[in-house]
Amino acid sequence: MTDSATLRLWDDNPSLDDFLGFDAVVDPIVKAIGTANVDPLAIGVHSPWGGGKSTVLNLLESRLEAAGRYAVIRTDPWQYDNHDDVRGSLIAEVLDQLGAAFQADSTVKDRVADLLKRISWTRVGLTLGKGALTMQWKPDELIDAFTPKARSDDKSMSGFKDSFGKLIGGLPDVDRVVVMVDDLDRCLPPAVMATLEGIKLFLAVPKMVFVVAADQEMVRDSIAVSLGETNRSGAFATRYLEKIVQLPVTLPRLATADAEAYIGLLLTQTEGATPDEIEALANHCSSRRQLGLSPLLGDLGKLSPKPSEESLSLAAQLAEGLSADRLANPRQIKRFLNAFGVRSMVAHSRKVSIAPAVLMKMLLLEDLHRSSFETLAATPRPERTALLTAWEGWAHGEDGVTRPDKIGEDTHHWAASEPSLAELDLSLYLDLAASLLNVRAGEDTSDTVIRLVTDLLGTGTAAREAALVELTALGEAEQRAAMELSLRQGRRLDDLDVLFEMTIQWADKTPSLVELVIEAAGELLRRLTTGTVVNMNGATLKAQYQPILQRLATEDGIDDMVAQAAKMEIKSTNGH
């Protein structure tokens, strides 16, 4: 494995190589696109954040372009400049890319220009409707802009679909036009709806195929939010999505064997393997996957270079550690490996000697079980060996050994895994890691976490609940950073009801976070509401909130209604 002082990091971009056996997903999509009896066709490629959706689109694009019978268009509504007219931007981008692909065909160019003119006129109307009258418009031009147009008028969108159908039907040497829509689940609800409406109302004509890569639940929630909070909005959102997407394809959860091979390939890249050599190893994994053989990077024969034994061992260790504690996906794996690489280099520069397997295990503890890591780090040096011995004895089920105080029940698998730490002197590393905790907390606040926190504190119930599900699926370290961000952001709100309603629910699912909620409640005591009192007393961990309720019931400066509510909840808890 590459020396820790020069360990390479991995970028977070979608891959152009199939390290994960996505051919099993891409093959049926290619066949569906080549099937003529569903026309037009919309395919949904679904997985949570970081699950490989963009990589699947890359692989699919490569396959379709190699076939030579398809015009492939890539678009990303999240990156559109004009967020006031997402629907128009989508249509214009499809037309622009078609015009570029068939620029030598004058008939196609003229039809594209005609359709783009219609889009331009709708934007004129949108601009005028927003009151942007700074240009020198003549009265007759204003009247013309707002006058309803006939379907045959080249300024009208009402006849757009018919004209677009003629354009697509007349494209030479093209079986189908495939539009790939990426990152739709990153968009705000209005942009999600506008994109789907653009597909359904204007672009869904014969010979068109749409491949929409998104987290299905996030898209469904965006539709529900756009419809407003009603009892029927969730059901309608499901029906709406089903009507647009005929073929949903869900990417499989990353199995431990696939994760192990994926990590092994990534680590082998750092050992000097060329792209062609990595591709040969990936193809070997694919062949063994089809035959049901494991490990996928086994029986390498004459393939060269082979992954080192250390890389294979680390890959197995990380794959097992992540799969046991949370939903591992390609992006999470890369982020963890990057954290591992950075920590290796920091330890090397600080002259802290630690075996890679031990570092991997310690980083898993820090990342997945932060509160238990902090307990270990805070334990006096002479007592750490006894703590680790008891911890591992409990995990192995030794007679009479109980779980140490302040060690999480969910660390069972971690403590039982190799290598054993009880006889090692981890003092220098623990001191180093503890000093870096604040740095990592800031590092963990990714764009995705920021988006989830924004949704968690927003006005839409469906979006808040969806954000909570995603947040609780993160590792403990990332959850802790996200909770800290939520509490910092939430204290700016005029009404704290939403903040404490959602963070209390969150802490019920991840008990190690309850201390953060209690600390924030104490700091904001005189701004707490009756709703927060009810939420605290209704929590699974309500016993831990009793000191806050006692303070609300007895301290000066508390709103009378809040104080009375706290007293009532305390009485109900005590059975009086």
Side-chain angles (χ1 to χ4, degrees):
M1 190 172 172
T2 306
D3 183 83
S4 58
T6 58
L7 186 61
R8 175 186 161 186
L9 303 180
W10 292 267
D11 65 52
D12 201 23
N13 296 319
S15 176
L16 299 174
D17 302 306
D18 186 11
F19 286 1
L20 292 162
F22 281 147
D23 55 336
V25 174
V26 173
D27 285 346
I29 294 177
V30 171
K31 290 179 181 177
I33 290 172
T35 303
N37 61 349
V38 182
D39 196 15
L41 172 64
I43 301 169
V45 177
H46 306 309
S47 80
W49 168 85
K53 299 183 293 294
S54 297
T55 294
V56 167
L57 292 190
N58 288 342
L59 298 172
L60 179 60
E61 181 178 13
S62 178
R63 288 278 297 277
L64 294 176
E65 289 181 342
R69 300 181 292 118
Y70 304 102
V72 179
I73 294 171
R74 292 289 293 265
T75 185
D76 187 339
W78 190 54
Q79 297 183 6
Y80 288 169
D81 291 330
N82 187 350
H83 289 285
D84 290 329
D85 184 23
V86 171
R87 186 173 67 185
S89 296
L90 168 68
I91 297 170
E93 184 156 6
V94 170
L95 292 171
D96 284 339
Q97 292 192 43
L98 283 174
F102 295 93
Q103 57 183 338
D105 190 311
S106 59
T107 301
V108 172
K109 284 182 63 177
D110 290 345
R111 287 179 172 173
V112 166
D114 172 69
L115 292 172
L116 282 171
K117 188 183 298 182
R118 295 176 187 246
I119 299 295
S120 299
W121 271 100
T122 64
R123 286 180 169 169
V124 168
L126 182 65
T127 301
L128 292 174
K130 287 182 171 291
L133 298 176
T134 56
M135 294 182 291
Q136 298 299 312
W137 291 87
K138 297 178 181 179
D140 58 340
E141 290 175 337
L142 289 173
I143 292 171
D144 186 46
F146 283 113
T147 300
K149 307 298 189 295
R151 291 178 63 86
S152 58
D153 195 312
D154 64 4
K155 301 173 185 175
S156 169
M157 286 299 290
S158 59
F160 179 93
K161 194 169 186 177
D162 291 340
S163 298
F164 182 71
K166 292 177 182 177
L167 165 67
I168 300 303
L171 292 176
D173 304 318
V174 171
D175 288 353
R176 285 196 164 188
V177 176
V178 182
V179 179
M180 299 183 181
V181 183
D182 202 1
D183 284 337
L184 186 61
D185 46 8
R186 292 191 180 193
C187 298
L188 295 174
V192 172
M193 286 296 290
T195 301
L196 296 176
E197 287 173 354
I199 291 172
K200 186 66 177 176
L201 299 179
F202 297 104
L203 301 178
V205 300
K207 290 179 65 172
M208 289 293 294
V209 176
F210 305 91
V211 183
V212 181
D215 182 335
Q216 181 174 252
E217 295 303 317
M218 294 295 293
V219 173
R220 185 182 291 117
D221 288 335
S222 292
I223 297 171
V225 168
S226 297
L227 297 172
E229 297 298 327
T230 69
N231 292 334
R232 299 182 60 191
S233 59
F236 185 86
T238 299
R239 295 288 181 268
Y240 187 94
L241 195 56
E242 288 175 350
K243 194 170 182 64
I244 291 178
V245 176
Q246 297 106 321
L247 179 61
V249 178
T250 300
L251 300 189
R253 182 189 187 280
L254 195 57
T256 302
D258 290 313
E260 181 180 336
Y262 179 63
I263 298 165
L265 290 169
L266 293 176
L267 292 175
T268 304
Q269 286 179 325
T270 70
E271 297 172 350
T274 66
D276 288 343
E277 289 167 341
I278 291 294
E279 183 179 1
L281 287 171
N283 291 337
H284 176 79
C285 291
S286 179
S287 299
R288 287 178 64 82
R289 187 181 292 111
Q290 293 172 10
L291 295 172
L293 300 175
S294 184
L296 299 179
L297 279 172
D299 296 330
L300 294 174
K302 296 182 179 180
L303 283 174
S304 179
K306 296 179 174 63
S308 68
E309 288 300 319
E310 181 180 86
S311 288
L312 292 175
S313 177
L314 288 174
Q317 181 184 359
L318 178 54
E320 184 66 24
L322 288 178
S323 65
D325 288 277
R326 66 180 180 186
L327 178 65
N329 65 37
R331 187 168 296 162
Q332 286 176 331
I333 286 172
K334 280 187 175 180
R335 290 187 66 190
F336 188 93
L337 284 174
N338 285 339
F340 177 76
V342 169
R343 187 60 59 83
S344 297
M345 288 186 280
V346 171
H348 184 274
S349 67
R350 299 283 183 88
K351 310 299 183 185
V352 175
S353 178
I354 182 169
V358 176
L359 174 59
M360 183 77 77
K361 184 169 180 177
M362 291 302 300
L363 202 58
L364 281 168
L365 176 65
E366 180 183 331
D367 191 55
L368 301 175
H369 312 291
R370 174 66 68 87
S371 61
S372 296
F373 169 82
E374 290 175 347
T375 296
L376 176 61
T379 299
R381 288 190 180 191
E383 300 174 18
R384 285 173 179 165
T385 297
L387 172 59
L388 287 167
T389 300
W391 197 346
E392 292 181 358
W394 160 74
H396 289 297
E398 294 178 7
D399 291 340
V401 180
T402 59
R403 176 166 50 91
D405 291 341
K406 298 184 180 180
I407 294 299
E409 178 73 35
D410 57 353
T411 63
H412 189 282
H413 182 275
W414 175 87
S417 66
E418 293 296 329
S420 172
L421 305 178
E423 301 302 322
L424 302 179
D425 183 2
L426 299 172
S427 298
L428 291 177
Y429 175 77
L430 282 169
D431 292 342
L432 170 64
S435 72
L436 297 173
L437 282 179
N438 290 335
V439 175
R440 292 203 71 250
E443 173 191 325
D444 280 340
T445 308
S446 64
D447 290 342
T448 298
V449 167
I450 292 171
R451 173 179 63 81
L452 291 174
V453 168
T454 301
D455 289 347
L456 186 80
L457 303 179
T459 57
T461 301
R464 291 202 301 265
E465 292 176 351
L468 183 61
V469 170
E470 286 202 63
L471 285 165
T472 54
L474 300 174
E476 187 174 326
E478 198 165 13
Q479 283 195 57
R480 194 174 188 86
M483 175 66 85
E484 290 169 350
L485 176 62
S486 300
L487 294 168
R488 286 198 305 272
Q489 298 282 77
R491 66 182 59 216
R492 302 174 188 170
L493 300 174
D494 293 332
D495 185 348
L496 298 181
D497 264 358
V498 168
L499 171 64
F500 283 103
E501 176 190 356
M502 301 312 298
T503 54
I504 288 169
Q505 290 183 37
W506 186 355
D508 272 351
K509 297 177 183 295
T510 309
S512 62
L513 302 180
V514 71
E515 62 182 89
L516 297 178
V517 181
I518 292 171
E519 181 182 356
E523 294 172 357
L524 300 169
L525 194 70
R526 284 161 182 78
R527 293 182 56 199
L528 298 185
T529 65
T530 54
T532 300
V533 171
V534 173
N535 284 322
M536 285 182 173
N537 205 53
T540 303
L541 303 173
K542 66 180 182 179
Q544 301 205 43
Y545 297 106
Q546 291 306 301
I548 295 293
L549 295 179
Q550 289 286 355
R551 291 182 62 189
L552 289 171
T554 58
E555 290 191 12
D556 295 334
I558 305 299
D559 179 84
D560 288 342
M561 290 184 63
V562 175
Q564 287 300 320
K567 291 174 183 177
M568 291 177 61
E569 295 294 355
I570 291 169
K571 286 182 179 180
S572 68
T573 299
N574 295 333
H576 297 310

